Amino acid sequence: MLNIEVQLCGFVFDLILIFFISRHECVGLKSEKIFRQCLVIFTACVFLDISSIVAVEYAYALPAFVVEAVCKLYLVSLVTSTYFAFAYTYNTVFHLRENSTFKTAVLTMGIVGSVLILLTPIYYYNKDRTTYTYGPSVVITYIFSFIFILSTLITTFMYGKLMNMHRRKAIRSWMSIEIAAALVQLLAPYARLVGFGSALGLFILYSELENPEVYLDRVAGCFSFDTFAMYLRQEYEKFRNFSTIIICNDVDIKRSDEEQKRIIVEISEYLNSFGLAKLFRLSDNDFALVYDKGQQDMNGIESAVNLDVIRERFKSKWGEDSVLNTKFLLVPDGHIVSNAEEFIEVYERNRFKFEKGEDMRILDETAGQDIKEFREMVIEIRDALQTDRVEVFYQPIYSIETGKFVSAEALARIRGNDGKLIMPGRFIPVAEESGLIEAIGERVFSKTCKCIKENNLKMKGVDYVEVNLSVAQCENPTLSSTYDEIMRLEEVHPKEINLEITESSTLNQRHILLDNMQRLMNMGCGFSLDDFGTGESNLNYIVDMPVNIVKFDRSMVQEYFTNKRAEIVMRATVGMIKDLGLKIVAEGVETEEQVEGIKQLGIDYIQGYYYSKPLSKNDFIKFIETKNAS
């Protein structure tokens, strides 16, 4: 009876892995491809191990060169399998993977080992149930296999920080089993464990890293967002051309959990029918079809044609009876940016930038340039905060009642390294999106308090200074305590501060804002409602919010002088606000005619270029001292 039971177990083990892997679509990741190659090579190695035992067992009936050839092919497959194990490992390290000289040297070493095995003598022993080979060919096999296994282990230690923890551990476990099996077989040749050991190691690798299920989204059944990021990184590393359709659905489809899952699965199955593209489920309920076939102009055309079909389908119902509010992003050329992270940024930024009535947007080089400018501005803002290049400018506010400049609005500016000012229109949106707006707001507030104290603005006729609050600050539960601490540190009375809030649809934690407002008002701070008259403003907000002052936006003021219907609306609005006992500031007043019109309207304060543009701290102090002295 042949001693092949253990090898047969390993062979069946490998066949089962091949079966399960073949049932899933391949993402196309390099590690995934090499693992599949490893699995085929190791399976062939076990098969050749079994074949060599059979050949030796029946050597009396077979030509000598056939027995020798089968045995040597088995030894070559051993070296080849350990070579692929090393290749699988070093391919996780970018600079090794991209180093053609290194890869050529490793491949050459594998070829040299295989040639030496084929050229050197081999002998075999067969008695009872003990069958094994020995001689120079076997020694060379052990030497080269050990070199590749040792190189694999060394790579996991030298470049361990470039691998995730699970990959390091899985590869080390795999190689440890290989070494243990080889040592046992070397010391006890009748124990044919190498084939089974390799199968066990591959199973560990499959379980930890290469199970196709880890690449899938559990609900949709297509590839996941993490897989999307890995796939894009590989595309950029290989400089491959690809185009992408991104289907942007609402974060909440507003159905029961069961119905939402049904819709997601239905969408996934429909989109998966476009067989020449890979389907990924992105954040929330978004999907992406990535085309990576042939020349860029061809897959770009294909994705554009498919997009028309997909858009038409999404006009129909999904699930039981759901018509989705779906938007589409088309990226004809993925190389509008230079890496995967920038591509994902382009997607995440643009999915929220659809204009009213817009359902599709084509992203080209402009979107890529926008990301680069965004990143540069983030760096600029961080550096400005670190090097104290955030400045505060002040725009005076004129009181119609007293004829004096009784307040001012504090406005953030950044002084570039070249000495030029960066206007808020450039850095404020970036600061809001990047989360740096709170740091800027706190810095502006601190400098404003310092200015009030150091220049004794109260004695110069300035009753208070208005400071803007961002949405992020409004939603921060620590806002009131932080600002209280700053006012105490700078010895500024809260009555000398008026905080401006803007009605915003993006404010999610309104109760936090109200709590902050109440605590700051209890200290003595006042509040203004800024930008009244823009698209989102309404009188209910004035009723609900405990503000003292309402600031009419520049666009509303300008419309008052050019549009008769706007004039009627503004007069009525002023009357209602005054009846509520609130003060009104008119922003953006630019001419003497407008000043007179605003005075007749009954508005309390005027802010605009007619009196002054925003001024640096020193210029503002001079302005106030001069104007309020007369």
Side-chain angles (χ1 to χ4, degrees):
M1 182 177 179
L2 298 178
N3 183 20
I4 58 173
E5 294 88 347
V6 176
Q7 292 95 320
L8 284 173
C9 288
F11 186 64
V12 171
F13 220 156
D14 287 342
L15 290 178
I16 291 172
L17 288 182
I18 290 173
F19 170 74
F20 280 113
I21 285 180
S22 64
R23 296 174 64 214
H24 293 276
E25 179 187 0
C26 178
V27 187
L29 301 177
K30 186 68 174 178
S31 65
E32 182 187 34
K33 290 178 180 178
I34 296 179
F35 176 76
R36 293 187 178 212
Q37 291 169 351
C38 282
L39 186 53
V40 171
I41 294 297
F42 275 76
T43 304
C45 182
V46 178
F47 175 77
L48 287 170
D49 188 8
I50 296 170
S51 300
S52 68
I53 295 174
V54 173
V56 171
E57 181 71 23
Y58 293 97
Y60 63 87
L62 295 172
F65 76 89
V66 172
V67 177
E68 181 177 336
V70 172
C71 292
K72 286 191 174 184
L73 281 175
Y74 165 57
L75 297 180
V76 169
S77 70
L78 277 176
V79 172
T80 304
S81 62
T82 54
Y83 161 77
F84 270 90
F86 183 39
Y88 175 85
T89 305
Y90 75 63
N91 264 276
T92 62
V93 182
F94 179 77
H95 72 271
L96 294 180
R97 180 172 70 244
E98 298 302 312
N99 188 329
S100 57
T101 303
F102 170 78
K103 293 196 296 184
T104 301
V106 174
L107 178 60
T108 301
M109 186 169 66
I111 293 172
V112 168
S114 299
V115 170
L116 289 175
I117 291 170
L118 295 173
L119 295 179
T120 52
I122 185 171
Y123 310 106
Y124 45 85
Y125 174 86
N126 181 34
K127 186 176 182 181
D128 298 327
R129 285 175 53 82
T130 303
T131 303
Y132 61 88
T133 54
Y134 62 97
S137 282
V138 176
V139 173
I140 291 170
T141 300
Y142 273 103
I143 291 173
F144 278 87
S145 296
F146 180 74
I147 289 172
F148 283 128
I149 291 173
L150 186 61
S151 298
T152 301
L153 286 172
I154 290 173
T155 301
T156 65
F157 287 100
M158 287 185 63
Y159 303 102
K161 292 182 179 179
L162 301 178
M163 306 176 186
N164 67 57
M165 178 179 63
H166 296 292
R167 187 169 296 276
R168 291 196 307 268
K169 289 183 176 179
I171 292 174
R172 289 169 187 171
S173 298
W174 180 23
M175 291 299 101
S176 297
I177 291 172
E178 291 277 4
I179 292 172
L183 288 175
V184 170
Q185 187 163 317
L186 179 64
L187 298 174
Y190 56 85
R192 311 283 296 200
L193 293 178
V194 170
F196 184 78
S198 65
L200 188 59
L202 285 171
F203 178 75
I204 291 173
L205 213 60
Y206 173 86
S207 302
E208 290 283 329
L209 302 172
E210 300 300 341
N211 183 345
E213 294 285 343
V214 305
Y215 298 119
L216 300 180
D217 179 271
R218 293 300 178 88
V219 175
C222 59
F223 297 125
S224 66
F225 196 0
D226 288 341
T227 308
F228 180 65
M230 290 190 289
Y231 182 78
L232 287 181
R233 290 188 191 103
Q234 180 171 285
E235 295 294 279
Y236 283 105
E237 287 174 7
K238 297 295 183 182
F239 300 102
R240 289 178 180 151
N241 293 323
F242 66 94
S243 60
T244 311
I245 299 171
I246 300 178
I247 297 96
C248 305
N249 293 306
D250 288 336
V251 174
D252 182 4
I253 297 179
K254 298 180 179 177
R255 300 290 186 274
S256 66
D257 288 346
E258 183 178 341
E259 175 65 7
Q260 181 156 328
K261 288 179 181 178
R262 184 184 293 115
I263 292 171
I264 291 300
V265 171
E266 187 178 342
I267 291 173
S268 177
E269 290 179 352
Y270 169 72
L271 294 174
N272 217 21
S273 66
F274 295 88
L276 294 179
K278 295 188 184 299
L279 178 63
F280 301 85
R281 185 185 180 190
L282 308 186
S283 57
D284 301 312
N285 300 319
D286 293 356
F287 289 85
L289 284 165
V290 180
Y291 296 78
D292 183 20
K293 301 288 184 182
Q295 297 298 316
Q296 176 58 38
D297 55 347
M298 291 307 296
N299 65 46
I301 292 171
E302 182 182 25
S303 59
V305 171
N306 287 349
L307 177 58
D308 291 337
V309 177
I310 293 168
R311 288 177 68 193
E312 193 63 32
R313 171 62 185 88
F314 271 83
K315 293 177 182 177
S316 304
K317 296 176 181 178
W318 298 93
E320 292 181 353
D321 192 26
S322 299
V323 178
L324 306 181
N325 180 31
T326 304
K327 312 290 186 183
F328 301 90
L329 297 171
L330 174 63
V331 186
D333 180 1
H335 289 90
I336 59 172
V337 293
S338 58
N339 57 60
E341 286 66 31
E342 288 182 356
F343 188 97
I344 292 172
E345 276 191 66
V346 167
Y347 149 64
E348 291 178 338
R349 296 190 71 212
N350 281 277
R351 81 167 314 284
F352 296 108
K353 289 188 175 182
F354 287 96
E355 302 292 338
K356 187 175 182 180
E358 181 186 22
D359 77 327
M360 191 192 81
R361 178 171 292 189
I362 298 176
L363 303 181
D364 54 17
E365 292 81 1
T366 305
Q369 185 59 36
D370 181 50
I371 284 294
K372 291 179 175 62
E373 292 175 358
F374 175 84
R375 289 188 163 190
E376 289 171 0
M377 184 54 67
V378 168
I379 294 171
E380 181 72 49
I381 294 170
R382 285 178 175 153
D383 186 63
L385 287 165
Q386 188 174 0
T387 58
D388 197 26
R389 291 188 287 109
V390 176
E391 298 183 10
V392 182
F393 275 50
Y394 301 86
Q395 187 169 29
I397 298 176
Y398 180 80
S399 169
I400 295 175
E401 180 182 355
T402 65
K404 302 285 186 181
F405 292 91
V406 298
S407 62
E409 181 177 359
L411 300 164
R413 299 287 187 270
I414 287 179
R415 181 77 61 180
N417 284 313
D418 58 0
K420 297 179 181 179
L421 284 176
I422 301 174
M423 292 294 103
R426 287 184 58 198
F427 70 82
I428 291 296
V430 175
E432 290 176 336
E433 193 170 338
S434 63
L436 293 169
I437 193 66
E438 287 192 77
I440 291 176
E442 190 173 316
R443 184 70 56 87
V444 168
F445 186 74
S446 178
K447 289 195 170 189
T448 298
C449 289
K450 191 180 293 292
C451 176
I452 292 172
K453 171 65 177 178
E454 291 178 350
N455 296 283
N456 200 2
L457 293 186
K458 189 75 172 177
M459 295 299 296
K460 293 178 171 62
V462 177
D463 297 327
Y464 60 88
V465 177
E466 296 187 339
V467 183
N468 289 282
L469 290 179
S470 65
V471 171
Q473 288 176 290
C474 292
E475 293 184 329
N476 188 339
T478 66
L479 171 70
S480 55
S481 58
T482 300
Y483 274 29
D484 180 37
E485 183 179 344
I486 292 172
M487 288 186 288
R488 291 178 185 276
L489 180 65
E490 302 297 342
E491 299 179 340
V492 169
H493 196 284
K495 288 186 177 181
E496 296 179 85
I497 296 293
N498 201 75
L499 298 167
E500 293 187 5
I501 60 172
T502 303
E503 180 185 2
S504 174
S505 60
T506 60
L507 183 62
N508 298 315
Q509 305 290 334
R510 187 172 177 179
H511 67 281
I512 296 178
L513 167 62
L514 291 172
D515 289 343
N516 278 321
M517 289 180 71
Q518 192 59 58
R519 285 194 289 268
L520 288 163
M521 288 170 63
N522 291 341
M523 297 173 200
C525 293
F527 278 87
S528 300
L529 178 61
D530 197 15
D531 295 337
F532 185 82
T534 56
E536 294 180 359
S537 63
N538 60 72
L539 289 171
N540 286 334
Y541 208 77
I542 297 175
V543 173
D544 295 341
M545 288 295 180
V547 296
N548 315 102
I549 298 170
V550 177
K551 301 189 74 172
F552 284 176
D553 183 72
R554 179 185 180 280
S555 60
M556 184 176 182
V557 172
Q558 296 299 319
E559 280 285 304
Y560 173 75
F561 293 102
T562 58
N563 187 319
K564 186 64 179 177
R565 297 180 70 177
E567 177 186 343
I568 295 171
V569 171
M570 189 163 167
R571 286 186 183 277
T573 304
V574 168
M576 287 187 284
I577 293 174
K578 299 296 286 184
D579 287 343
L580 290 170
L582 306 178
K583 300 290 185 179
I584 302 175
V585 177
E587 295 183 297
V589 177
E590 298 174 353
T591 66
E592 185 174 356
E593 178 186 2
Q594 290 176 348
V595 170
E596 293 304 317
I598 291 298
K599 288 181 178 179
Q600 293 173 13
L601 189 57
I603 286 177
D604 304 281
Y605 305 104
I606 298 175
Q607 178 180 348
Y609 274 37
Y610 175 77
Y611 290 111
S612 175
K613 64 180 181 180
L615 303 169
S616 66
K617 182 183 70 172
N618 293 336
D619 289 343
F620 170 67
I621 299 302
K622 292 176 184 177
F623 178 92
I624 291 297
E625 289 175 343
T626 302
K627 297 295 183 179
N628 282 356
S630 57

